[in-house]
Amino acid sequence: AARVRAVGPGDERHVARFIRDLARYEHLEHQLDLDEGRLRAHLFGENPACGALLAEVDGTPVGFALFFQSYSTFLTRPCLYLEDLFVVPEQRGRGTGLLLLRAVAAEAKRRGCPRLDWAVLDWNVTAIGFYEKQGARLLGDWRICRLDGDALEKMATP
């Protein structure tokens, strides 16, 4: 059976591997600019930018969840945002993803967050079905907007 634990120093190599695997699964490898040193600093530095959990089976990492604090102006409270949840293909359908999602939800509750948010690709019907089965609502009237690269540079320059 899988168990979930918080990452510790040295685990960034596992998280980095799963990020690569997730990018491959989502056909987004071309967007990777992954640096384990940055990841380590963001997870374990003086002011961590994010947190992560590892799922393990018999001591072998088989999945991860990475999250960070967000903020709701309408609720005037911090919330939690689940950036990534990934389980290796051979462990899917065995409850590992649910264990990770529950652990992130428990972290949100521990922090007093009124909600947990995340995004899912519209073509990932398996994930959508999984999330809906857990009681998640897909907010069809919201779209994610992003500025990056030259567009970000242009916007940031008066």
Side-chain angles (χ1 to χ4, degrees), residues 146-157:
R146 177 172 293 158
L147 281 175
D148 59 8
D150 291 341
L152 177 61
E153 189 66 33
K154 184 177 179 182
M155 183 61 65
T157 305

Side-chain angles (χ1 to χ4, degrees), residues 13 25 29 53 55 60 64 79 82 84 106 116-117 133 135 145:
R13 71 183 196 276
Y25 175 76
E29 286 177 286
L53 303 168
T60 301
F64 88 113
C79 300
L82 175 61
D84 290 325
L116 171 63
D117 295 314
K133 185 178 177 185
C145 298

Side-chain angles (χ1 to χ4, degrees), residues 69-70 75-80 104-116:
Q69 187 169 293
S70 60
L75 301 174
T76 58
R77 293 170 63 193
C79 300
L80 216 54
V104 176
E107 178 65 18
K109 186 176 176 184
R110 184 187 72 74
R111 293 180 182 207
C113 298
R115 71 176 192 224
L116 171 63

